[in-house]
Amino acid sequence: MKKNIVYILHILFFAFALPATAATTINGKVVDAQTLSALAGATVSIPELKLTTSTGATGEFTFKNAPDKGKFLIEVKYLGYQTLTQTIDLVNIDQLVLKLSPSTIEAREVVITGSASSTDNRKNSTSVAIMSKEALVKQSTNIVDAISRIPGVSQITTGGGISKPVIRGLSYNRVVTLADGAKQEGQQWGDEHGIEVDQFGVSRVEVLKGAASLLYGSDALGGVVNLLEDLPVGDGQIKGELLTNYSTVNKLMANSYMVQGNNNGLTWRMRVSNKSAIAYQNPETRIPNTGFKELSWGGQIGLTKKWGYAHLNVSNFTSEIGLPDFSQNANGEFEDADGNVLSSQQINSRNLLLPFQDVGHRKVAFNSNVLLGKGRVRTNISFQNNLRKEFEESSADPALFFDLKTWSYDFKYFGEERNGWEPVIGLSGAFQNSENRGEEFLIPNYQSNELGLFAYFKKNWTNTTFNLGSRVDYRKMTGEALEENGEIIFNSLKNSFSNLSGAVGLTHEFNERFSLKANAGSAFRAPNIAELGSNGVHEGTFRYEVGNADLKPERSFYSDFSLAFNTEKISTEWNVFYNAINNFIYYRQNGNETINAEGDIFPLFRFVQDKALLTGTEFSVTLHPIELIHWESSFAYTRGQNRTTNTPLPFIPAGVWRNELRLEPNIRGLKNNYIALGIDHFLKQNRTDSFETPTGSYTLVNASIGTSINWKKQEIRLHISASNLLDKAYFDHLSRFKPGRLDESNPNLGFFNPGRNISFGLFVPLRIK
C-alpha cells in the first residue's frame, strides 16, 4: 500500500518536469472604479494557481511563472471596497485593469468548499460561511470554539480543551473536517475526541452547511469544515507572523511563530505553536483537571511554476487534556476516588492529574494542481497517524491506546470548458488500519478500505449557474475477533457498504443586489467502527457502549434554499433546510439497563437505527449605515425529530440569537480601530430524548476592543476581548458536563460552563523582505 503511494508520487513529480505549457507574465493595475485613482496595497490572488501579490504605489501588480492558457478566477481585496472576483482568460490577456467599487461590506468572496473549483460565493449553490484569521484568534480557546459563532454551527465541549463541530444538529462522523486538503482522521466517533489541528496555522475557515457527499463522500452528510492554509507569499518576498494570547478564565498562554518565503516559485513555510492552560473557572469554582497543553510544528515546501503548483506539507500536533473525575464533599471540596481532598495547588497547577488524554497527530500531505493538455489535474495524497492514549491509574501505562493509520488519495480532472459547461471527474479513497495497544478495549482492531467515483458538471450563464453530479461509493470494514481469559471481547466482523449519491444546485442573481441559491439531492454515511463493534467503557464517557454489526448505511434526502440581499450598506441572508435521514444511527438506553464493568455500574447504551428529520432556519443581517457604525445580528434554530418513535432527537443545539454593535472610529496614528458590545441569547431546549435533561434559556454579554499601530514601519495589532462579561452561571445544552446528560447519579456531571473570561491578544505580521 505504501509502495503504491510512493509510486504515484514519483509519477507526479516526473510529470512536473515536463513542459506542459509555456510560462507568461500577468501584468495589471487596481484602481478606484469611480475616480480611476490607483489603489496601493490591494491584495490580488489567483487561488487555483496558489498565486498572490500586492499592488505597488501605482496600483500595479505582476504575476510571474503563470501559464499562458486557461481560465482562472482572480480575486482582489482592499479595505473599504467591495471584493472583486473576475474570470480571466490567459490566452487573450494583456494589461488587466481591475476596478473596485467603494463599499463597507465585502459581499463577493471566493470559496473553494462545496464547488469543484474556486468560485464566487454568490455563484456557489451550497451554503458556505467564511471566518477570517483575525476572527479565529479572538475570544476563542480553539478553532471549533471560534466557528461556533457562525449561524447554524455549534460545538460539543468537554471543558476548554475538547470541542467537536456541530452543523445543523449533526456531528461526529457526519461532519468532515478538511486540513491540508485531506480529511482529518482522528477517531471522530468519540465524544471526548477533538480535532487535532493548530488553530494558529489556519488562514481562514470555510464551513459548508448541509449534506455534501457528492464531492466529499461518506461522512459529509451533515457538512464540511475546511481549514485553509495561507497562500504562498509573492515572488521575492519573505514574511512572518507572531501571535500571542492570554486568557484569564483558565490562564491560557498561547504563542505561535511563522516565517514563509518565495524565491522564483520555490515556496516554503515553517510554524511552531504552543498552548498551556490550567483548569477553567466557572461562576462557582474552578473545575479540577480541565486544563490542557498543546505543542505543534509544521512546514511546507513547494513549487509554483508554469505547469501549476505542487506542495508538500508536514505537521506534528501533540496535546495533553485533563478529564475531570472528582466528586465534591459536603463542604464543596473536590475529592479523588480515594477520598483525598484536592489542594489548591493541585487544582491551579499546569500539571495534569489522572485521568488525562495524550494525543498525537502526525501528517504528511502532498497537494498539486497541474495543467494537462486543455485540462488540469488536482491531486491530494496524505498519510496520517493518530495516536490516542488515555491514562487512568498510571501516567506511565495507558489504559486505552488507539493507533490509527490512514492513507488517503483524491484525484480530480477538470476538463476544458465548452459552451459554459465545466466538467469534472474524480476518484478518491482511503485505507485505514487501527490497532489497540493499551490494556483496555472499546473497539476492535480493524481495517477499512473505501473508494469513490464521481462526475460533476457546472453550467455558467451571465447571472445563473447550474450544477449537477453523481457519485458511487464503496467501503469495506473488517474487525478482528478478540478473546481474553476465556471471555469473548469482540467477535470478528466483515461489512461492506455501497451507495449512489446525486445532487443538483442552482444560483441566480436577479441583479447586483438580490440573489438566491437552491440545492437538492441525496447523501449517505457508512457506519463507523464504534457503531458496528464497540464493547466497553472508557474514561470521560460515563457509559458502556455496545455496537451493532447489522447496521445499515444512513441515507439522507435533503434540500436547502437561501435568499441574499447585498448593498454597500447592508447584507442579509436567509436559509431554510430540510434533511430526512433513513437508518439514522444513535445510541439508546433500554429502560434503565446497566452493566457491571470492573466493579463499577454504568448505564448500558446500544446502537440502533430509526428515521430522523432535521429542519431549521438561519438568518443574518449586517448593517454599516455610516463609517463609524457596524451592526451584526443572526438567528439559528434546528429541530430534530425521530420519525420512528415520534420523539425528539438527542443532542440538538438550542436556538440562538446573536447581536453585536461595533464602533469603528478614525483615530490619528491608529488604524483598524473598533469597540464592540455583543449580546447572545440562547433559547431553552426542552425537546430532549429520554436520557438527557433539558436546559433553560440564558443570555451572555461580550465585549471587545482592538487597534493597529505602526512602530518603526512595523504593524502591530492589539485586542482585548471579554466573553460572559457578567459571569453568568449556565449550562450549554451540548456541554458534556451538563447535569443529568447521561446518568444523574454520576458525580462528575453538573459543572457550569466557563465564567467571565478576559483575553489579551497580540498579532504582528512581519514583512522581512
Side-chain angles (χ1 to χ4, degrees):
M1 189 180 306
K2 295 181 183 178
K3 291 182 178 179
N4 291 336
I5 293 178
V6 172
Y7 179 68
I8 293 171
L9 285 172
H10 276 96
I11 293 176
L12 291 169
F13 276 115
F14 178 72
F16 296 154
L18 299 178
T21 183
T24 189
T25 298
I26 302 174
N27 296 304
K29 187 175 183 179
V30 179
V31 300
D32 184 296
Q34 297 176 359
T35 65
L36 299 183
S37 58
L39 297 178
T43 300
V44 186
S45 59
I46 305 177
E48 286 293 317
L49 298 176
K50 297 288 186 182
L51 293 173
T52 185
T53 189
S54 299
T55 58
T58 60
E60 296 181 344
F61 65 90
T62 299
F63 287 121
K64 297 180 180 179
N65 292 320
D68 68 343
K69 60 183 177 181
K71 294 182 179 180
F72 299 95
L73 192 70
I74 192 169
E75 180 185 48
V76 187
K77 287 188 172 185
Y78 192 74
L79 186 65
Y81 287 77
Q82 186 180 63
T83 298
L84 173 69
T85 60
Q86 180 178 317
T87 299
I88 59 174
D89 188 344
L90 300 185
V91 174
N92 301 312
I93 196 170
D94 188 13
Q95 175 77 19
L96 277 174
V97 178
L98 303 172
K99 301 178 180 179
L100 301 189
S101 300
S103 176
T104 53
I105 297 176
E106 298 179 355
R108 286 188 174 275
E109 292 191 271
V110 171
V111 296
I112 68 171
T113 312
S115 182
S117 59
S118 299
T119 185
D120 183 334
N121 200 13
R122 289 178 63 173
K123 296 183 180 295
N124 185 8
S125 63
T126 56
S127 178
V128 177
I130 304 164
M131 182 164 279
S132 66
K133 188 181 190 73
E134 286 75 11
L136 292 173
V137 299
K138 295 177 184 176
Q139 206 168 316
S140 59
T141 302
N142 54 62
I143 202 161
V144 177
D145 184 30
I147 65 173
S148 66
R149 298 192 63 82
I150 294 174
V153 181
S154 311
Q155 60 176 326
I156 297 171
T157 61
T158 305
I162 302 175
S163 295
K164 298 180 72 69
V166 181
I167 301 178
R168 292 177 173 175
L170 298 176
S171 186
Y172 301 93
N173 281 86
R174 298 184 181 96
V175 172
V176 165
T177 298
L178 299 175
D180 298 326
K183 283 186 182 180
Q184 189 77 358
E185 296 288 353
Q187 314 280 4
Q188 300 95 302
W189 47 265
D191 269 21
E192 75 288 15
H193 301 170
I195 60 173
E196 291 79 42
V197 176
D198 178 9
Q199 174 184 4
F200 301 121
V202 178
S203 175
R204 64 187 237 150
V205 179
E206 295 179 0
V207 179
L208 189 159
K209 297 181 285 185
S213 290
L214 173 62
L215 294 177
Y216 303 101
S218 175
D219 295 2
L221 187 141
V224 176
V225 177
N226 195 357
L227 309 177
L228 301 172
E229 62 188 3
D230 290 296
L231 289 176
V233 296
D235 187 23
Q237 296 182 350
I238 299 177
K239 294 184 178 181
E241 67 180 32
L242 164 66
L243 279 158
T244 183
N245 279 346
Y246 178 79
S247 297
T248 59
V249 74
N250 56 0
K251 299 183 180 180
L252 170 68
M253 295 188 295
N255 303 280
S256 184
Y257 314 92
M258 184 273 287
V259 61
Q260 61 177 334
N262 183 341
N263 182 13
N264 194 31
L266 175 62
T267 62
W268 53 272
R269 180 171 65 245
M270 295 179 290
R271 180 183 292 275
V272 177
S273 303
N274 74 286
K275 291 181 181 180
S276 174
I278 70 169
Y280 79 80
Q281 176 80 40
N282 69 22
E284 289 188 342
T285 186
R286 193 173 292 277
I287 308 303
N289 213 35
T290 54
F292 61 92
K293 300 176 182 178
E294 290 181 9
L295 175 63
S296 62
W297 58 264
Q300 179 195 90
I301 187 167
L303 285 173
T304 302
K305 292 293 185 179
K306 59 188 179 183
W307 38 259
Y309 69 84
H311 292 160
L312 182 67
N313 289 56
V314 178
S315 63
N316 184 66
F317 179 97
T318 59
S319 66
E320 293 182 0
I321 306 169
L323 299 171
D325 189 16
F326 308 100
S327 57
Q328 285 182 278
N329 59 27
N331 297 323
E333 299 169 313
F334 287 97
E335 298 178 344
D336 62 19
D338 298 323
N340 300 313
V341 175
L342 299 182
S343 67
S344 175
Q345 182 179 1
Q346 288 176 301
I347 295 175
N348 288 275
S349 173
R350 293 187 183 273
N351 297 319
L352 301 179
L353 305 172
L354 292 170
F356 69 89
Q357 291 189 64
D358 184 322
V359 184
H361 194 92
R362 305 161 185 168
K363 189 174 186 180
V364 179
F366 173 79
N367 298 278
S368 69
N369 193 1
V370 180
L371 276 67
L372 188 64
K374 294 184 178 180
R376 52 193 172 91
V377 176
R378 185 190 295 168
T379 301
N380 182 286
I381 301 174
S382 71
F383 168 74
Q384 303 174 61
N385 187 196
N386 188 266
L387 301 166
R388 186 176 299 277
K389 306 173 187 178
E390 296 186 0
F391 297 89
E392 298 177 11
E393 304 297 333
S394 166
S395 58
D397 299 316
L400 277 172
F401 187 173
F402 302 128
D403 184 351
L404 174 65
K405 296 180 176 67
T406 304
W407 296 265
S408 63
Y409 57 90
D410 183 272
F411 303 98
K412 293 184 177 71
Y413 175 74
F414 299 77
E416 181 185 10
E417 178 185 336
R418 294 184 178 180
N419 298 322
W421 284 97
E422 298 177 4
V424 182
I425 57 174
L427 166 69
S428 62
F431 310 93
Q432 282 192 331
N433 181 78
S434 180
E435 180 183 357
N436 287 303
R437 295 170 56 187
E439 301 172 354
E440 299 178 2
F441 308 98
L442 175 61
I443 59 173
N445 295 342
Y446 74 92
Q447 296 80 42
S448 175
N449 186 354
E450 64 180 78
L451 177 68
L453 295 166
F454 79 89
Y456 175 92
F457 300 90
K458 184 177 180 180
K459 170 66 173 177
N460 296 297
W461 291 276
T462 302
N463 297 315
T464 305
T465 63
F466 173 76
N467 61 78
L468 76 162
S470 183
R471 181 186 182 103
V472 59
D473 284 274
Y474 174 81
R475 175 179 288 185
K476 180 180 179 180
M477 187 171 291
T478 303
E480 299 178 9
L482 177 64
E483 184 176 335
E484 191 175 72
N485 299 326
E487 179 184 359
I488 296 177
I489 308 299
F490 302 112
N491 292 310
S492 63
L493 64 88
K494 291 185 179 180
N495 297 72
S496 60
F497 311 97
S498 59
N499 186 78
L500 180 66
S501 303
V504 295
L506 175 74
T507 71
H508 180 70
E509 297 181 74
F510 297 98
N511 49 49
E512 186 64 25
R513 297 183 173 185
F514 189 55
S515 61
L516 68 81
K517 299 181 180 183
N519 283 281
S522 66
F524 98 109
R525 182 183 75 89
N528 62 48
I529 187 61
E531 296 163 340
L532 291 168
S534 61
N535 184 29
V537 63
H538 66 285
E539 204 67 48
T541 61
F542 314 127
R543 64 176 179 270
Y544 194 104
E545 296 178 2
V546 175
N548 181 353
D550 297 324
L551 294 175
K552 300 177 181 178
E554 295 179 338
R555 169 61 75 91
S556 163
F557 298 94
Y558 66 90
S559 59
D560 183 294
F561 179 81
S562 69
L563 291 172
F565 179 77
N566 298 280
T567 70
E568 65 277 2
K569 303 288 186 183
I570 182 173
S571 175
T572 64
E573 185 174 2
W574 174 59
N575 291 272
V576 292
F577 63 90
Y578 173 96
N579 195 355
I581 305 175
N582 294 334
N583 299 320
F584 183 81
I585 302 170
Y586 68 106
Y587 50 73
R588 182 173 65 199
Q589 187 179 20
N590 295 327
N592 294 316
E593 188 178 10
T594 60
I595 189 171
N596 188 321
E598 299 181 359
D600 293 322
I601 303 299
F602 291 92
L604 178 61
F605 283 77
R606 303 179 187 273
F607 285 96
V608 297
Q609 291 189 293
D610 285 327
K611 293 182 178 180
L613 176 64
L614 293 107
T615 56
T617 186
E618 296 134 19
F619 177 79
S620 62
V621 58
T622 300
L623 298 173
H624 214 316
I626 58 176
E627 186 177 359
L628 174 67
I629 298 175
H630 183 96
W631 171 271
E632 293 183 9
S633 182
S634 67
F635 176 77
Y637 177 78
T638 298
R639 185 180 190 273
Q641 183 74 7
N642 187 321
R643 295 185 296 165
T644 302
T645 62
N646 198 30
T647 57
L649 289 178
F651 309 134
I652 300 298
V656 57
W657 180 29
R658 300 184 187 272
N659 298 275
E660 183 182 78
L661 174 63
R662 189 163 71 243
L663 303 181
E664 300 174 346
N666 287 321
I667 302 175
R668 183 180 236 176
L670 303 176
K671 60 181 181 178
N672 301 323
N673 309 297
Y674 68 88
I675 302 173
L677 178 67
I679 298 177
D680 299 338
H681 180 70
F682 292 78
L683 306 180
K684 64 180 180 180
Q685 180 57 289
N686 51 18
R687 289 183 47 79
T688 57
D689 204 337
S690 58
F691 61 84
E692 59 172 340
T693 55
T695 47
S697 62
Y698 58 92
T699 301
L700 303 179
V701 178
N702 310 306
S704 61
I705 183 172
T707 189
S708 295
I709 62 175
N710 284 325
W711 181 70
K712 295 184 178 181
K713 297 184 179 181
Q714 173 61 56
E715 182 185 6
I716 300 175
R717 304 174 188 175
L718 305 167
H719 75 265
I720 303 174
S721 59
S723 58
N724 193 5
L725 189 60
L726 302 183
D727 206 24
K728 173 72 174 180
Y730 71 97
F731 294 109
D732 184 274
H733 190 70
L734 297 185
S735 169
R736 297 189 62 249
F737 294 159
K738 186 182 71 170
R741 183 179 187 271
L742 294 176
D743 180 9
E744 292 184 358
S745 65
N746 195 307
N748 305 312
L749 301 176
F751 302 148
F752 286 118
N753 282 72
R756 181 188 300 111
N757 182 36
I758 311 297
S759 296
F760 304 86
L762 171 71
F763 179 20
V764 183
L766 302 171
R767 295 180 179 270
I768 302 171
K769 180 181 178 183

